[in-house]
Amino acid sequence: MEPLMAYVVGGLYAAAIYMMLRRSIVKLVIGLILLSNAANLLIFTAAGLVRGTPPLIAEGAQVPPPGVADPLPQALVLTAIVIAFGVLAFAVVLIHRAYEIVKADDLDQMKSTDT
C-alpha cells in the first residue's frame, strides 16, 4: 500500500507545482490546495498505514498494548488542514480584491497594469 501512496503523493506534488507555475492566479490557488493535500498524504504515508486499536492506555498499565495506531500523524494532519483552510480563505479574498482592482486574472497583466 505504501508504494501506491508514494506514487499518489508524487503525482499530487507534480500537479501542484505545475498548477502553481501557470499564469492564472486561480490556478495558483488550486496548486496551493493540491500542495497541502499532498503534504497531508505524505505525513500519513511516512507514519505508516497501520490499522490498529485506539491509543488508549488501560488503567494501571505503563504502556499501551501492541498494535495501536499512532495519534501524532493524525494530530499533525488535522492541524495542517486547519492551517491550509486559513491560507485558502486568505488567498481567495486576496484574489477577489486583486481582480476587482486590476480586472485581470493573468499575473503578467497584473504586473504591467498601472493604477
Side-chain angles (χ1 to χ4, degrees):
M1 187 67 169
E2 280 86 3
L4 175 65
M5 291 301 291
Y7 285 122
V8 170
V9 168
L12 280 174
Y13 272 119
I17 291 171
Y18 176 77
M19 293 298 279
M20 291 174 69
L21 292 175
R22 307 302 300 165
R23 287 185 183 161
S24 173
I25 199 161
V26 174
K27 291 179 183 175
L28 175 76
V29 171
I30 293 171
L32 282 173
I33 294 169
L34 288 175
L35 189 69
S36 67
N37 288 334
N40 291 341
L41 280 177
L42 179 66
I43 292 171
F44 268 139
T45 305
L49 301 173
V50 178
R51 289 187 182 181
T53 59
L56 302 174
I57 300 175
E59 191 172 333
Q62 296 293 328
V63 295
V68 297
D70 187 12
L72 183 62
Q74 298 170 14
L76 289 174
V77 168
L78 183 61
T79 305
I81 289 171
V82 172
I83 292 170
F85 180 73
V87 169
L88 175 65
F90 176 73
V92 167
V93 170
L94 186 65
I95 288 170
H96 179 66
R97 183 70 178 143
Y99 186 77
E100 281 181 351
I101 293 173
V102 181
K103 302 285 189 230
D105 183 32
D106 191 5
L107 290 173
D108 290 337
Q109 291 175 357
M110 285 184 174
K111 184 173 60 173
S112 64
T113 303
D114 294 326
T115 56

